[in-house]
Amino acid sequence: MRIDVVTIFPGYLAPLREALLGRAIEAGLVEVAVHDLRDWTHDVHQAVDDAPYGGGPGMVMKPQVWGEALDAVLAADERPARLVVPTPAGRPFRQSTAQAWAGEQRLVFACGRYEGIDQRVVDEAAARMPVDEVSIGDYVLVGGEVAVLVMVEAVARLLPGVLGNPVSAEQDSFSDGLLEGPAYTRPLTWRGLSVPEVLRSGHHGAIARWRRDRALERTADRRPDLLAALPADALDAADRAF
Ligand SMILES: COc1cccc(COC(=O)c2cn[nH]c2)c1
């Protein structure tokens, strides 16, 4: 997979070169290219934004600069690409989104700032490639760069060879629709707190049941919306005790 990121703050994407993802890039499992949007400005001030038509606060990113940048980035590789624009106004980015994008040959991320990017950039791109305006959560960041770090990590970890022990989709958290329950490791007792007995019993059935009960309990407490969204047959009789 090739990943391109267009941004006015290329330095913000430096963490992509670190650790696990950095090693995956070095191993050629994924290619990452970061581009400075200002490379496609032609004025001395390298302007990338302008006042919004219709008035209102803030500035909007200019379509001409983005159009030239995306043309150039897309032309750099013949693989078909999906354009992704992180925005608070986007559709929710979920694990299922990451799973879907992991199958793409190429992702191009456009990092918006200010009040956003002139809508014609997305509309014009959508005429020739799949475009997703996505939100990583209901809060407002200053720019899309941090959201790109989140999404690139969520997608890259699903690519073959990136993680040491391959995370099979069904074992991934959220895959059974529930939150992960509590986890424990040595020592047996720490600051007077002990590991639940069942986890040391060696009874795998009891352990599986205990873990599912804790996942159901936590999901009901923290994310009742996920519980409500479960298909009817997802919960068995023992589950319904919660
Ligand atoms: C494209 O236009 C804009 C404008 C303002 C900020 C951003 C950055 O994205 C977010 O703030 C965000 C993404 N998911 N949740 C929040 C993009």
Side-chain angles (χ1 to χ4, degrees):
M1 174 184 285
R2 170 167 168 157
I3 295 174
D4 288 90
V5 186
V6 183
T7 167
I8 59 171
F9 291 117
Y12 239 96
L13 282 302
L16 291 179
R17 310 281 171 195
E18 293 295 314
L20 195 102
L21 196 51
R23 284 198 297 277
I25 295 169
E26 282 160 21
L29 297 171
V30 58
E31 301 153 54
V32 176
V34 179
H35 312 273
D36 186 338
L37 179 68
R38 294 195 197 275
D39 289 354
W40 288 279
T41 60
H42 308 297
D43 62 309
V44 67
H45 298 296
Q46 297 196 303
V48 295
D49 63 314
D50 198 347
Y53 274 118
M59 303 288 270
V60 176
M61 298 189 98
K62 298 165 65 66
Q64 305 99 318
V65 185
W66 272 107
E68 287 187 33
L70 292 177
D71 287 352
V73 167
L74 288 167
D77 191 297
E78 81 287 344
R79 282 172 280 187
R82 170 178 295 273
L83 177 64
V84 177
V85 184
T87 168
R91 288 192 171 83
F93 175 79
R94 299 192 189 293
Q95 189 64 24
S96 55
T97 319
Q99 292 281 5
W101 291 356
E104 294 284 350
Q105 295 183 61
R106 200 177 171 200
L107 296 173
V108 176
F109 290 91
C111 298
R113 290 201 156 240
Y114 310 105
E115 296 311 304
I117 302 172
D118 185 296
Q119 189 60 40
R120 288 167 292 181
V121 175
V122 163
D123 296 347
E124 192 268 348
R128 52 190 162 130
M129 63 195 286
V131 179
D132 287 318
E133 293 183 82
V134 286
S135 165
I136 61 164
D138 293 337
Y139 38 76
V140 182
L141 304 169
V142 180
E145 288 78 8
V146 168
V148 169
L149 291 176
V150 165
M151 294 190 278
V152 167
E153 181 163 318
V155 172
R157 67 185 284 275
L158 298 175
L159 299 177
V162 172
L163 286 185
N165 52 325
V167 179
S168 54
E170 55 275 8
Q171 253 82 49
D172 225 350
S173 68
F174 289 96
S175 59
D176 63 356
L178 299 176
L179 301 182
E180 285 296 304
Y184 302 87
T185 185
R186 289 178 293 188
L188 212 44
T189 300
W190 174 73
R191 296 188 180 181
L193 301 170
S194 293
V195 174
E197 287 280 342
V198 65
L199 297 180
R200 292 175 285 144
S201 68
H203 293 304
H204 302 293
I207 290 170
R209 181 70 257 165
W210 183 88
R211 283 177 165 163
R212 181 143 176 105
D213 288 349
R214 297 294 73 70
L216 286 160
E217 199 171 55
R218 177 174 280 184
T219 308
D221 176 44
R222 298 177 182 178
R223 292 292 303 279
D225 59 301
L226 289 180
L227 217 52
L230 281 178
D233 62 351
L235 298 178
D236 61 32
D239 291 337
R240 287 198 182 77
F242 280 92

